[in-house]
Amino acid sequence: MRIRQEKIISYKKAVIVVAVSFLFLVAALCLIADRLGIDDREVHDMDDQIVCSVERADGTYGNYPSNTFPPLMKGDKVTAVVNLKREEHVNNAALCFSAYNAVTKVYYKDTLLAEYGADITAAGHEIGHVLFRVAIPEEAWGSSIRIESTAEENYAFSGYTVAKVMPAVLSSQYALLGREGDFAIRFAVLIVFLCLMIYFTVACIFGMCDKQGIFLSVFCCVLSLWSLGYDSMLYVISGNTDFCANAEYFALFAAPAPFCFYMSEIQDIYNSKVLRRIFEITGMVLTGFFIIATMLNQFTKNYHYSRLLPVLHLILCLTILTAIICLITVRSKRRSVQIIVIKYGLLFSMTAMFIELARFNIDKYSLIKFNVANRMFSSLGILLFIMSLLLGYAFKITENSNIRIEREQLREIAYMDSLTGISNRTGCYRYLSELKEKGIYKYTLLFFDVNELKHANDRYGHEMGDRLIMCIANALHCAYDGFGFCGRWGGDEFIACVAGKNSEEISTIIDKFNTDIKRVNTDHSFPFTVSVSYGQINSTDTDPVQPYEAVKL
């Protein structure tokens, strides 16, 4: 037996591997994204050419000379007039925009061009985040198109999202405009962590890893899904409007639970059973909340995801604040570079996400807009979050791999003869036990006795005796490696075993051993003739001999 020489993985190498892999992924995706790019010369931003009027449910009216108006309450109706300048004419064009939770109809004069939401509302379901890609009639240029939306939820929306006119054949790529690389990275993260989730689940079932990997991959999957849905990018992947409109809400409600379970598994960052229990209980509460919210969304007419969103945001704020306080105030079990990276990466990313939650709610429930913060904190928070969690788990896998390698090496050392490097008597007994456990009875067991070892020790010293023992061990290893097993039984005694071979194959192996011994004598490697006595026991399926009985004969 020889010890496998496995390198202990350093944390520096782990960071380099993760960083280089990420950079290569980004570079590859940017090349792909560049291929998907749209020529923006044929794309016109229409936000400054929209005039809106809002009719409130209480009968009051308001006119707004832009695509921004106060948040719509349930029953409010907004009418937007999109002016199409003749000098900006685009052949076979489509008007693209999105709206939240509103029955929407698009008209050219009195001709209905598109509609969505009436049948969904009648069935008692939530409309969600809908992307419209409406073909523009050629005669509409120089005139206008009218959009009518009736809000079905309170604080439904306060402006049609980035209205644009572009060639209809390219309208499926509307969400990619200026964000091709962003989409490619988000979609790649979704696919990668979906694959990792499957792998970690199977590995956990077979006891190959802990649950932390599952929580990490589930959280990153749903976070990526939410990010794609939030920016209408799911419509690039799927043509199913019902799925794309509601996946954002589903992912948002599903994300907090695996995050809390993941935090409960990070024991290196904080040394507190109480905090771990808090995160476990919070994770279970959020799981229950997600299940209840999903059932209410599917089976009731009044309690949809959007209506429960303030409750979710409150829970999220409390959870993130708790995690931030823990990361700031609680001492880690041990201080190291990897713990610092994980701790402060999570701290900065959760701070960014907390700011994004505050921005979202201020933006939704008031007229104050934070357009720069919208992109900055959302993208920064997601990027930092995923990279922190990924690096953290990479460190954990690295550390576990190092521990496993060290344990295996220590185990192998326990079965290894320190002088020769082949198995010692304990290793021989282990091999014989494996033969019995596997029910292998067709084998040949050979016993070797080195001649004149005492003479070599007495006349030439123990160093010469050790050389002789190592020479015989090396010859046995060369002869039996790949064909069977060999080990040092003790002193000048060795054993070898060949299982499942016929007598001719065994004779060939013995001849190879004898040839090596003859070469030692021909080369005059020792000042005396080296010789070995040996005997063998043959066990067959018809006349089996128990391995332990064989060594006693």
Side-chain angles (χ1 to χ4, degrees), residues 296-358:
L296 290 174
N297 183 72
Q298 291 295 320
F299 302 114
T300 68
K301 293 187 176 182
N302 296 318
Y303 295 97
H304 300 139
Y305 280 137
S306 58
R307 187 159 295 187
L308 298 171
L309 204 56
V311 180
L312 176 67
H313 283 177
L314 178 61
I315 296 174
L316 279 176
C317 286
L318 293 175
T319 303
I320 292 174
L321 279 175
T322 302
I324 291 173
I325 292 170
C326 291
L327 291 170
I328 293 175
T329 60
V330 179
R331 283 191 172 186
S332 304
K333 283 185 177 181
R334 53 189 175 87
R335 290 188 64 82
S336 60
V337 175
Q338 65 271 19
I339 296 302
I340 292 173
V341 169
I342 300 169
K343 181 174 181 177
Y344 288 101
L346 287 174
L347 181 61
F348 290 139
S349 61
M350 283 189 287
T351 302
M353 292 183 72
F354 182 80
I355 294 173
E356 166 60 14
L357 273 175

Side-chain angles (χ1 to χ4, degrees), residues 108-126:
Y108 168 60
K109 296 183 177 179
D110 293 327
T111 304
L112 181 65
L113 301 179
E115 65 174 329
Y116 189 85
D119 53 340
I120 296 175
T121 301
H125 299 305
E126 187 170 43

Side-chain angles (χ1 to χ4, degrees), residues 116 119-120 126-130 235 239-247:
Y116 189 85
D119 53 340
I120 296 175
E126 187 170 43
I127 297 173
H129 184 191
V130 182
Y235 287 91
N240 188 323
T241 303
D242 292 341
F243 165 75
C244 296
N246 290 282

Side-chain angles (χ1 to χ4, degrees), residues 471-472 475-476 512-522 530-532:
C471 176
I472 301 302
L476 282 171
K512 183 179 179 182
F513 170 73
N514 289 331
T515 300
D516 287 344
I517 298 299
K518 288 178 182 179
R519 185 181 300 110
V520 170
N521 289 322
T522 302
V530 177
S531 62
V532 178

